[in-house]
Amino acid sequence: MDLANNIKTIREKQNLMQKEVALHIGVDKSTYSKIEKGLRELTVSELSKMAKLFNLTTDQIINYNENIIPKEIVIEDKSTLEQMELIQQLDEEDKSTVFKIIDKMLTTKKFKDFFNKNVAAL
């Protein structure tokens, strides 16, 4: 499958109309129609906006296969921006848990750095 077909399939599976996706990514309906027909390339910005609307990563849209169960996402393999986008896709409770863990780790690191700096000064 190519990107145009992937986009159309995902849109239809999510019960979205072309005009809804077009509005979300900032193009008119006729331009969006050309995207789904493969007559117009998608910009990176448009693909990114589409990923947010579909609640998928850009990679999941580009390599979409409706017959494959989503594979495990390894956050370490992603850029910092992609990591934050993935975290933002979590529900509020999970997001809160992730940020609490990060806060705890940062606090622990600050204490270690402070301790090492001050012990080294003795």
Side-chain angles (χ1 to χ4, degrees):
M1 282 190 116
D2 62 16
L3 181 57
N5 286 330
N6 292 354
I7 291 167
K8 182 177 181 180
T9 301
I10 294 166
R11 177 185 58 77
E12 288 174 345
K13 279 186 166 274
Q14 295 195 6
N15 296 316
L16 294 167
M17 297 186 344
Q18 283 188 345
K19 67 181 179 182
E20 293 175 285
V21 180
L23 181 66
H24 187 82
I25 68 170
V27 299
D28 60 45
K29 186 186 172 300
S30 65
T31 300
Y32 179 78
S33 179
K34 289 176 185 172
I35 291 170
E36 278 195 5
K37 291 176 183 171
L39 302 174
R40 179 185 177 274
E41 291 293 318
L42 202 58
T43 68
V44 173
S45 173
E46 291 164 350
L47 181 60
S48 178
K49 289 174 187 173
M50 201 176 285
K52 283 185 175 76
L53 177 65
F54 293 156
N55 199 27
L56 296 170
T57 65
T58 54
D59 184 58
Q60 288 171 319
I61 294 172
I62 293 167
N63 298 305
Y64 186 73
N65 182 337
E66 59 189 315
N67 300 318
I68 295 179
I69 296 168
K71 63 179 193 261
E72 178 184 356
I73 296 173
V74 182
I75 201 161
E76 291 90 353
D77 295 345
K78 310 290 182 194
S79 71
T80 304
L81 181 60
E82 287 175 308
Q83 290 172 347
M84 292 308 296
E85 286 175 352
L86 288 170
I87 290 169
Q88 290 303 322
Q89 292 176 13
L90 299 174
D91 64 40
E92 288 305 315
E93 186 179 339
D94 288 344
K95 210 184 309 185
S96 176
T97 300
V98 168
F99 287 123
K100 284 177 185 173
I101 292 168
I102 292 170
D103 287 345
K104 167 78 171 81
M105 294 173 135
L106 290 170
T107 301
T108 301
K109 181 184 180 328
K110 281 195 172 200
F111 275 118
K112 283 181 183 175
D113 291 350
F114 177 80
F115 181 78
N116 289 335
K117 180 180 173 189
N118 289 300
V119 169
L122 296 177

